[in-house]
């Protein structure tokens, strides 16, 4: 290997550059190596292997020197020795050594501080504690994978959304921003001074409707409930919100087909021969299509909106959080979050169409005996959780009838006054039957349709009221039904102490409440109610609202069914208020209540009746008895429970008041010997007989005696006509009896009444109770004698007058014939 000599280009030129000590050391070492390399003897080409070995040895030494220089430079540059020393001290913990520390006494193994436990026990306890914490962390991790519950459970819903706070936050932001935009729109429109009050109401209703539509199904449900109360929100706002019942934008047809096929497990053509792609109605939770089965039956197919459960339960969870915050702010003891829980249970039930199908079938079976109630049939083999198939019902909705009767129809220019009156008659008939049906549900069957808004009601061609959408149904216990019946009676009678007892039976008032103070507050709240013909001139929902307000002042928790009953009656009363401003629910409901008390022979109803018409001395409260009997006669003329149909509207329900008094007396005489008079006969047996006779012969009883004489005289007149055979004589035509009553007592009824042993027992009991007062018995005998003379005189007078008039008419008609002959 040839020696390498430095080239001229490698010569260094000294420059006055200042270097650090480390750099100067490195340059000096480099110069020394170069100098030693130059001093090596040159190697000729022709030398042996020994020289090669020397060359390799010198190269290795050169590399060692180079590496050594690099290591020295790195040690200096990166302070490797200092770092190594610090690491050793840290490893050996030398910085903790204290050379002046005093000597330590030897310590024994620590003993457990818990008596009876060894160190192993404590160690195992620590292991179990760690296991418990690990299980808790694992459980928290599993919450992310748990889905929303099928049945509403507040804790499960809270666990689900607690893991997704971002979902709740975005929803709150959406609701807040939506209402802020609506407020800005209303504020902007309100700045226009040219708009009148009606136009501002229309604009508010439109903005509110669009806001509800934008916020989704839960808010749509709230808007539907508000639309049925024009008395609270105004007619224009109610009209705008009523579009939420059947004018909600539908979701696309392909999504509906996908849901149907997923639920039924086969294509649509496998179940339906004809299926419309256009929606018949779009509701908040689903939309309805019309189809025809392979058997040729017309059906309504309800399909649930996609991803509905998450949206509804999210809003319920937010509502529950809001009520919890409100409870803390108001410092209320009772948990008002239960109202959100009840709403959540109801809405979650509506999300499962199999439950709705079961509710519809149960409702249909329970009300099958009432001919004026129509419920569509459910086809269970075509029903799943998100698909419901029912019988197609043809009928008019209350909204259509209202639009025609009030002139808001699109064809108003071509409609005549007769069509409007006919539509109004059908609407009022629907309202009357709706009130009757609600009372039947509330007080008889105990299965209450809790969402009877106009979109869920139909008026059929056969004059029936049809119910749709059974997602929300309230089932009442028997004791709650009887308590509700008693509360209606006590409200009408103004008996507030008995009303408080009824509210206790309704589970409204709990133990520990000051009953006397609660009664006073309730009397103050309801004492301003005016009476009209003995009936409170106020909506039933307002009465319940006042009761609810007083109960909440005492921090009482209302039972779940109370809220649903209030919602149901609010929907119906709102519809009635639009159809007839003079319609009063109490006036329409009280005849049914009276009939219930007079015909249902049970201990509970008899107790309610006795508390209503008898005082503590078992004496009759005649003003209440008169009200009961007058309403009972009205019931027997109007009630669909006793007649085949109920076709008269509420406009004519209170007419013919002149004959109602005679109807009352006739009704009493018929009830005494009829099968339906069991309750009335028991009431007479329980009453104080002496007080009955004393009232009968008093000045106040003059009207009763007069009506009784008139009724008996009519019956005696009919008997005399039959005995003397006057009707068989062709030359005499008797005048018809006066149309004073539809329940006129016939001779047959009077004979049955006289021969009835039960009536004799009642009369004997009444007379025996008055035997001790001889003066009273003498007055009663004299009054009875005068009444018998008066009755006989009236009957004979009418008989003579009728025969005379008939004979004179015969002579006047036959006289011209005799002259001609």
């Amino acid at each position: 290997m040839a020696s390498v000599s430095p080239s001229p280009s490698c010569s260094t030129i000294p420059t006055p550059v200042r270097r650090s000590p480390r750099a100067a050391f490195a340059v000096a070492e480099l110069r020394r190596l170069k100098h030693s390399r130059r001093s090596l003897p040159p190697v000729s080409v022709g030398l042996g292997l020994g020289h090669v070995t020397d060359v390799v040895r010198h190269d290795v030494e050169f590399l060692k020197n180079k590496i050594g220089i690099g290591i020295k430079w790195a040690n200096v540059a990166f302070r490797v020795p200092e770092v190594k020393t610090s690491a050793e001290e840290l490893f050996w913990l030398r910085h903790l050594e204290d050379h002046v520390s005093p000597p330590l006494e030897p310590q024994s193994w620590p003993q457990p501080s818990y008596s009876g436990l060894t160190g192993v026990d404590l160690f195992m306890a620590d292991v179990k504690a760690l296991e418990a914490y690990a299980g808790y962390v694992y459980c928290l991790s599993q919450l992310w994978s748990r889905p929303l519950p099928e049945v509403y459970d507040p804790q499960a819903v809270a666990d689900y959304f607690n893991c997704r706070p971002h979902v709740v936050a975005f929803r709150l932001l959406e609701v807040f921003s939506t209402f802020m935009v609506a407020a800005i729109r209303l504020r902007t429109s309100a700045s226009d001074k040219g708009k009148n009050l009606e136009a501002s109401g229309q604009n508010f209703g439109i903005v509110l409707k669009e806001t509800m539509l934008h916020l989704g199904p839960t808010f749509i449900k709230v808007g539907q409930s508000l639309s049925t109360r024009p008395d609270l929100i105004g007619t224009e706002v109610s009209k705008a919100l009523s579009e939420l019942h059947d004018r909600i934008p539908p979701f696309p047809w392909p999504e509906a087909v996908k849901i149907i096929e997923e639920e039924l497990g086969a294509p649509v053509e496998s179940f339906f021969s004809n299926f419309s792609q256009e929606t018949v109605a779009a509701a908040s939770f689903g939309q309805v299509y019309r189809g025809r089965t392979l058997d040729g039956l017309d059906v309504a197919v309800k399909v649930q909106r996609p991803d509905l459960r998450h949206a509804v339960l999210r809003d319920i969870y937010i509502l529950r959080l809001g009520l919890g915050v409100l409870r803390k702010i108001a410092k209320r003891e009772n948990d008002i979050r239960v109202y959100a829980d009840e709403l959540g249970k109801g809405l979650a039930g509506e999300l499962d169409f199999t439950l709705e199908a079961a509710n519809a079938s149960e409702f249909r079976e329970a009300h099958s005996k009432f001919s004026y109630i129509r419920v569509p049939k459910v086809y269970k083999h075509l029903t799943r959780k998100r698909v419901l198939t029912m019988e197609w019902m043809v009928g008019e909705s209350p909204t259509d009838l209202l639009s025609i009767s009030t002139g808001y129809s699109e064809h108003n220019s071509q409609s005549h006054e007769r069509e409007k009156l006919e539509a109004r008659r059908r609407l009022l008939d629907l309202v009357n039957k709706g009130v009757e049906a609600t009372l039947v549900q509330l007080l008889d069957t105990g299965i209450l349709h809790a969402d009877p808004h106009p979109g869920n009601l139909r008026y059929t061609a056969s004059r029936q009221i049809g119910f749709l959408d059974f997602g929300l149904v309230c089932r009442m216990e028997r004791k709650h039904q009887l308590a509700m019946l008693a509360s209606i009676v006590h409200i009408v009678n103004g008996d507030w102490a008995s009303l408080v007892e009824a509210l206790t039976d309704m589970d409204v008032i709990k133990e520990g409440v000051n009953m006397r103070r609660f009664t006073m507050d309730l009397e103050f709240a309801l004492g301003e109610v005016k009476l009209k013909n003995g009936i409170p001139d106020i909506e039933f929902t307002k009465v319940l609202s006042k009761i609810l307000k007083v109960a909440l002042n005492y921090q009482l928790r209302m039972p779940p069914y109370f809220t649903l009953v209030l919602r149901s009656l609010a929907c119906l009363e709102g519809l009635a208020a639009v159809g007839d401003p003079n319609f009063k629910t109490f006036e329409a409901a009280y005849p049914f209540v009276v009939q219930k008390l007079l015909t249902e022979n049970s201990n509970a109803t008899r107790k309610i009746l006795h508390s209503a018409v008898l005082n503590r001395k078992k004496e009759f409260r005649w003003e209440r008895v008169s009200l009961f009997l007058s309403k009972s006669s009205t019931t027997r003329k109007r009630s669909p429970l006793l007649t085949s149909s109920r076709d008269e509207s509420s406009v004519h329900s209170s007419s013919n008041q002149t004959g109602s008094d005679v109807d009352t007396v006739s009704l009493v005489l018929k009830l005494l010997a009829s099968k339906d008079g069991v309750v009335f006969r028991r009431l007479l047996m329980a009453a104080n007989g002496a007080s009955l006779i004393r009232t009968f012969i008093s000045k106040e009883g003059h009207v009763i005696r007069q009506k009784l004489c008139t009724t008996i005289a009519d019956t005696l007149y009919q008997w005399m006509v039959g005995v003397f055979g006057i009707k068989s004589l062709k030359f005499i035509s008797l005048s018809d009896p006066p149309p004073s009553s539809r329940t006129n007592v016939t001779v047959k009824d009077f004979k049955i009444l006289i021969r009835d042993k039960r009536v004799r027992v009642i009369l004997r009991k009444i007379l025996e109770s008055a035997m001790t007062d001889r003066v009273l018995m003498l007055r009663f005998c004299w009054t009875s004698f005068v009444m018998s003379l008066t009755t006989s005189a009236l009957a004979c007078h009418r008989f003579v007058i009728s025969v005379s008039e008939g004979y004179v008419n015969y002579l006047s008609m036959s006289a011209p014939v005799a002259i001609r002959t």
Side-chain angles (χ1 to χ4, degrees):
M1 177 179 292
S3 62
V4 180
S5 60
S7 61
S9 60
C10 292
S11 62
T12 58
I13 300 175
T15 55
V17 180
R18 299 182 61 184
R19 296 184 179 92
S20 63
R22 297 174 186 173
F25 173 77
V27 172
E29 287 293 327
L30 184 60
R31 288 178 178 175
R32 186 180 62 80
L33 289 174
K34 287 182 179 181
H35 179 73
S36 62
R37 184 134 183 129
R38 290 193 197 102
S39 62
L40 292 176
V43 181
S44 60
V45 180
L47 296 179
L49 293 176
H51 296 287
V52 175
T53 304
D54 295 336
V55 172
V56 173
R57 181 173 54 80
H58 286 293
D59 289 338
V60 170
E61 290 179 358
F62 176 78
L63 291 175
K64 286 182 178 181
N65 291 331
K66 285 288 188 180
I67 293 173
I69 293 173
I71 292 174
K72 291 180 180 180
W73 178 82
N75 289 336
V76 175
F78 298 103
R79 296 184 179 180
V80 175
E82 292 85 350
V83 173
K84 183 179 179 181
T85 303
S86 300
E88 288 179 353
E89 291 181 354
L90 181 62
F91 179 77
W92 290 98
L93 301 178
R94 292 174 182 171
H95 60 286
L96 299 179
E97 296 178 357
D98 187 6
H99 298 283
V100 296
S101 62
L104 297 176
E105 297 181 359
Q107 297 290 333
S108 61
W109 181 260
Q111 299 297 322
S113 60
Y114 298 94
S115 59
L117 295 179
T118 63
V120 177
D121 294 334
L122 293 176
F123 177 75
M124 295 304 297
D126 292 337
V127 171
K128 290 182 179 180
L130 291 175
E131 182 181 358
Y133 283 113
Y136 176 73
V137 174
Y138 177 76
C139 180
L140 291 179
S141 65
Q142 291 297 313
L143 289 177
W144 290 87
S145 61
R146 293 183 62 184
L148 273 175
E150 295 292 334
V151 180
Y152 180 79
D153 183 6
Q155 187 59 45
V157 173
D159 293 340
Y160 181 86
F161 286 104
N162 286 338
C163 296
R164 296 161 177 83
H166 58 286
V167 176
V168 179
F170 277 114
R171 180 59 173 174
L172 288 173
L173 181 61
E174 180 184 7
V175 172
F176 179 76
S177 60
T178 302
F179 276 106
M180 284 298 296
V181 171
I184 293 173
R185 288 180 58 187
L186 291 175
R187 183 65 178 176
T188 304
S189 60
S191 61
D192 300 335
K193 298 181 180 181
K195 290 187 177 181
N196 54 14
L197 184 61
E198 181 179 358
S200 62
Q202 292 177 354
N203 184 55
F204 179 77
I206 293 173
V207 173
L208 185 59
K209 180 198 71 174
E210 293 176 354
T211 303
M212 297 295 184
L213 284 174
H214 179 74
L215 291 177
T218 309
F219 286 87
I220 292 175
K221 280 287 185 182
V222 176
Q224 289 175 349
S225 300
L226 289 176
S227 67
T228 61
R229 298 310 308 266
D231 53 330
L232 299 179
I233 61 177
T235 305
E236 298 299 330
V237 180
S238 174
K239 181 184 174 184
L241 292 180
S242 63
E243 298 181 2
L244 295 175
H245 294 298
D246 50 6
R247 298 185 183 180
I248 301 175
F251 57 90
W253 160 252
E255 296 185 14
V257 173
K258 182 180 178 181
I259 293 175
I260 294 175
E261 293 180 349
E262 287 178 355
E263 293 294 322
L264 298 182
V268 178
E269 295 78 10
S270 303
F271 304 97
F272 304 98
S273 60
N274 186 16
F275 203 95
S276 65
Q277 297 186 8
E278 298 294 332
T279 57
V280 178
S284 56
F285 282 7
Q287 56 194 34
V288 181
Y289 297 90
R290 183 171 185 175
R292 179 170 295 176
T293 63
L294 300 178
D295 301 333
L297 300 175
D298 290 334
V299 294
V301 182
K302 184 178 179 181
V303 184
Q304 190 178 113
R305 292 181 177 272
D307 300 328
L308 186 62
R309 181 177 299 276
H310 291 73
V312 171
L313 295 184
R314 175 196 58 193
D315 292 340
I316 297 299
Y317 173 74
I318 293 175
L319 176 61
R320 198 171 189 274
L321 288 180
L323 292 177
V325 174
L326 181 62
R327 176 195 178 190
K328 292 182 179 180
I329 294 175
K331 297 180 180 180
R332 303 189 65 89
E333 295 180 0
N334 58 329
D335 192 359
I336 60 177
R337 295 179 298 176
V338 294
Y339 297 108
D341 295 338
E342 293 301 326
L343 180 61
K345 290 179 182 178
L347 296 182
E350 292 188 62
L351 295 174
D352 190 350
F353 287 171
T354 58
L355 297 179
E356 182 177 349
N359 292 338
S361 299
E362 184 181 2
F363 192 90
R364 175 187 173 90
E365 182 179 357
H367 299 88
S368 59
K369 60 182 178 180
F370 304 102
S371 58
Y372 63 98
I373 298 179
R374 174 79 183 279
V375 180
K377 181 181 178 181
V378 177
Y379 299 99
K380 295 183 179 180
H381 66 286
L382 298 176
T383 298
R384 299 293 186 274
K385 285 189 176 182
R386 294 189 295 169
V387 177
L388 174 63
T389 305
M390 302 181 72
E391 176 188 359
W392 181 263
M393 181 183 292
V394 179
E396 298 175 287
S397 69
T399 306
D400 297 336
L401 292 175
L402 182 62
S403 62
I404 297 175
S405 61
T406 56
Y408 287 109
S409 175
E410 297 178 357
H411 305 286
N412 184 34
S413 58
Q414 300 178 359
S415 61
H416 302 289
E417 192 68 24
R418 183 177 178 181
E419 294 178 354
K420 293 182 179 180
L421 292 176
E422 182 65 20
R424 184 171 182 268
R425 187 197 66 80
R426 296 198 300 271
L427 178 62
L428 295 180
D429 189 35
L430 171 66
V431 171
N432 283 326
K433 290 177 178 176
V435 172
E436 196 80 38
T438 302
L439 291 171
V440 166
Q441 300 166 34
L442 185 63
L443 304 177
D444 195 347
T445 62
I447 303 176
L448 184 66
H449 190 292
D451 195 18
H453 61 74
N456 292 337
L457 298 177
R458 292 293 184 271
Y459 187 75
T460 65
S462 57
R463 296 180 179 180
Q464 294 175 304
I465 178 172
F467 287 91
L468 303 174
D469 193 355
F470 297 90
L472 195 58
V473 173
C474 175
R475 293 171 179 82
M476 297 184 62
E477 298 180 13
R478 181 60 180 169
K479 67 173 185 177
H480 294 155
Q481 290 180 260
L482 294 172
M484 186 68 71
L485 178 66
S487 64
I488 297 175
V489 176
H490 298 323
I491 290 172
V492 172
N493 294 332
D495 191 352
W496 311 120
S498 299
L499 177 60
V500 171
E501 294 180 2
L503 293 176
T504 304
D505 295 336
M506 292 168 63
D507 295 334
V508 173
I509 303 178
K510 304 295 183 181
E511 296 181 358
V513 177
N514 190 335
M515 293 295 184
R516 181 175 298 179
R517 185 176 178 183
F518 188 90
T519 304
M520 294 177 61
D521 292 344
L522 193 64
E523 182 178 0
F524 178 77
L526 300 177
E528 299 179 357
V529 178
K530 298 181 180 179
L531 298 179
K532 182 179 180 182
N533 297 327
I535 303 296
D537 190 18
I538 189 174
E539 290 85 358
F540 193 62
T541 50
K542 289 187 177 180
V543 174
L544 294 183
S545 299
K546 290 179 180 291
I547 295 175
L548 179 62
K549 184 178 180 180
V550 175
L552 291 179
N553 290 337
Y554 283 82
Q555 298 186 2
L556 300 178
R557 176 184 177 272
M558 304 303 292
Y561 75 90
F562 195 91
T563 306
L564 295 178
V565 168
L566 186 61
R567 175 183 177 180
S568 176
L569 292 175
C571 293
L572 200 59
E573 282 193 339
L575 182 61
V578 176
D580 183 10
N582 298 322
F583 183 87
K584 301 300 178 185
T585 308
F586 268 109
E587 186 175 356
Y590 201 65
F592 179 85
V593 173
V594 172
Q595 182 205 11
K596 186 78 173 175
L597 293 176
L598 291 179
T599 57
E600 184 174 330
N601 186 20
S602 64
N603 294 330
T605 54
R606 286 199 301 269
K607 181 180 178 181
I608 296 172
L609 181 61
H610 290 183
S611 65
V613 299
L614 297 177
N615 58 18
R616 294 182 179 179
K617 297 180 180 180
K618 300 297 182 180
E619 297 177 348
F620 275 104
R621 302 176 182 180
W622 289 105
E623 69 282 357
R624 298 184 182 181
V625 174
S626 177
L627 177 63
F628 260 67
L629 294 177
S630 63
K631 294 304 177 182
S632 179
S633 62
T634 305
T635 303
R636 291 182 173 262
K637 289 187 288 184
R638 296 175 52 210
S639 175
L641 303 177
L642 300 176
T643 57
S644 59
S645 63
R646 177 179 161 191
D647 302 330
E648 298 181 2
S649 64
S650 62
V651 178
H652 306 288
S653 62
S654 59
S655 61
N656 197 14
Q657 296 292 335
T658 305
S660 62
D661 296 334
V662 183
D663 287 347
T664 302
V665 177
S666 301
L667 176 63
V668 170
L669 295 178
K670 281 192 172 185
L671 279 176
L672 282 174
S674 65
K675 294 181 179 180
D676 296 334
V678 177
V679 178
F680 188 69
R681 289 191 293 268
R682 287 178 176 268
L683 183 64
L684 291 177
M685 291 294 293
N688 188 342
S691 67
L692 283 174
I693 296 179
R694 192 176 296 108
T695 305
F696 183 76
I697 64 177
S698 64
K699 293 182 179 180
E700 292 78 9
H702 173 71
V703 179
I704 299 176
R705 296 193 300 271
Q706 184 178 3
K707 297 170 187 174
L708 184 60
C709 289
T710 304
T711 304
I712 297 176
D714 291 341
T715 308
L716 187 59
Y717 165 76
Q718 298 174 18
W719 175 78
M720 294 173 65
V721 170
V723 168
F724 290 101
I726 301 299
K727 287 187 176 181
S728 61
L729 300 178
K730 298 182 179 180
F731 60 89
I732 295 181
S733 60
L734 298 178
S735 60
D736 296 331
S740 61
S741 173
R742 297 183 182 181
T743 58
N744 204 14
V745 180
T746 62
V747 178
K748 182 179 179 181
D749 297 332
F750 205 77
K751 289 181 179 180
I752 295 175
L753 181 64
I754 294 175
R755 296 173 183 174
D756 196 298
K757 295 182 180 180
R758 297 168 297 185
V759 178
R760 295 179 184 178
V761 172
I762 293 174
L763 292 177
R764 187 182 302 114
K765 188 261 180 184
I766 293 175
L767 293 176
E768 288 177 355
S769 62
M771 284 294 184
T772 55
D773 192 345
R774 296 183 178 181
V775 177
L776 180 63
M777 287 302 300
L778 288 174
R779 293 178 60 189
F780 175 72
C781 293
W782 173 251
T783 303
S784 302
F785 176 72
V786 173
M787 286 183 61
S788 61
L789 292 179
T790 304
T791 303
S792 302
L794 288 175
C796 294
H797 177 266
R798 182 177 173 186
F799 179 77
V800 172
I801 294 298
S802 299
V803 173
S804 300
E805 288 180 352
Y807 188 74
V808 170
N809 291 336
Y810 172 75
L811 291 178
S812 63
M813 293 177 63
S814 60
V817 178
I819 293 174
R820 285 196 299 271
T821 56

